[in-house]
Amino acid sequence: MRGTPFDFALTAMPSGILVIDKPAGWTSMDVCAKIRGILHERRVGHGGTLDPMATGVLPVFVGQATKAVEFAEQSDKEYIAGLKLGVVTNTQDTSGEVLEERPVQAGRERLEAALARFRGEILQVPPMYSAIKINGQRLYELARRGREVERPARPVTIKSLELLDEQGEDLYTMRVRCSKGTYIRTLCHDIGQDLGCGGAMCSLRRAMAAGFTLADAVTIEDVQARGEALLRPVDSLFAQYPALTVRSPGQEKRVRCGNPVTLPGTADGTYRVYGQAGDFLCLSRARGGALTAVKNFF
């Protein structure tokens, strides 16, 4: 039997979140392009760029779930980073051109003391090899042309910074938990400058982003083999907020029309809001007994 003109509209398109363990050598956009091809869905975005040399947690949003990307980008991140002391490069990691090599006088004890100065709120000057725009041009485009421009320092927060172990001569592994916008290679560079010997990031693995960890992550090969079965529902991104189900069909209709709903006795705060059939409708904020949508997902 031939299909009707409406069959395409009735076909469910893939929607949800993939927590990818990004392989080394891929850009974050490479991963998104691969997922587009596997799932045949053009709406694919990621929740926080990883440099090509980095591996680890990359939340990828598919279909309707792309509405949630902004919330993932705002979240804290956690990394396992390799720090090589005694070297300065143009990219602030060991993939770049070596500008200086210096003798290292600092041992583990001095490094531990230096780390204390980088915990909490600090200022970072973004690296030239970054996607930040200055006067409409991305810094890495200017850097590739041999230009360097002044970059204003930006506040970031290092919530925890822990020295894990010593991998070899002047080579250490650190665990970093930080706010959005933190450059780990800049942190490595600045620690090296503080010690007077220079430093560069030599490896990076993201252990947590948007509340997802390496235990949640799957590989590109997993997605090729299992496809849509690996998609997590979009509300999994908001698991830290309590769930709230609307109390009547009338309330659900108001929510779906974008109108506030009066819910006396509801404590102030942010909620995952569900319809009477259990479908996730929106992320909403309650205040004074009134519930107002922050972002709709129906």
Side-chain angles (χ1 to χ4, degrees), residues 82-89 93-94 97-107 111 168-172 188-202:
L83 167 64
K84 175 63 177 173
L85 295 178
V87 63
V88 178
T89 75
D93 60 41
T94 52
E97 176 189 347
V98 175
L99 302 177
E100 294 180 62
E101 290 186 274
R102 305 176 192 167
V104 180
Q105 307 293 334
L111 176 56
E169 187 177 1
D170 305 325
L171 181 62
Y172 297 89
C188 291
H189 171 86
D190 291 348
I191 291 169
Q193 294 298 101
D194 185 79
L195 290 169
C197 59
M201 186 183 78
C202 59

Side-chain angles (χ1 to χ4, degrees), residues 87-200:
V87 63
V88 178
T89 75
N90 64 337
T91 59
Q92 300 182 342
D93 60 41
T94 52
S95 71
E97 176 189 347
V98 175
L99 302 177
E100 294 180 62
E101 290 186 274
R102 305 176 192 167
V104 180
Q105 307 293 334
R108 182 170 185 139
E109 188 174 328
R110 274 193 61 197
L111 176 56
E112 290 269 19
L115 295 188
R117 296 189 283 275
F118 289 89
R119 297 186 183 110
E121 292 188 7
I122 63 171
L123 291 175
Q124 271 195 344
V125 176
M128 278 301 299
Y129 281 88
S130 65
I132 292 173
K133 286 186 176 181
I134 299 287
N135 297 325
Q137 288 191 290
R138 297 201 181 276
L139 288 176
Y140 67 77
E141 293 173 346
L142 297 173
R144 287 170 182 169
R145 298 202 296 266
R147 292 183 55 195
E148 182 163 352
V149 296
E150 187 173 345
R151 290 97 64 201
R154 305 189 309 172
V156 298
T157 304
I158 307 298
K159 300 194 174 181
S160 65
L161 178 56
E162 172 191 7
L163 192 60
L164 295 180
D165 52 34
E166 189 171 356
Q167 297 283 356
E169 187 177 1
D170 305 325
L171 181 62
Y172 297 89
T173 305
M174 307 182 297
R175 185 191 305 276
V176 186
R177 184 163 184 152
C178 55
S179 64
K180 76 164 235 179
T182 303
Y183 285 92
I184 305 300
R185 52 199 162 99
T186 299
L187 179 64
C188 291
H189 171 86
D190 291 348
I191 291 169
Q193 294 298 101
D194 185 79
L195 290 169
C197 59

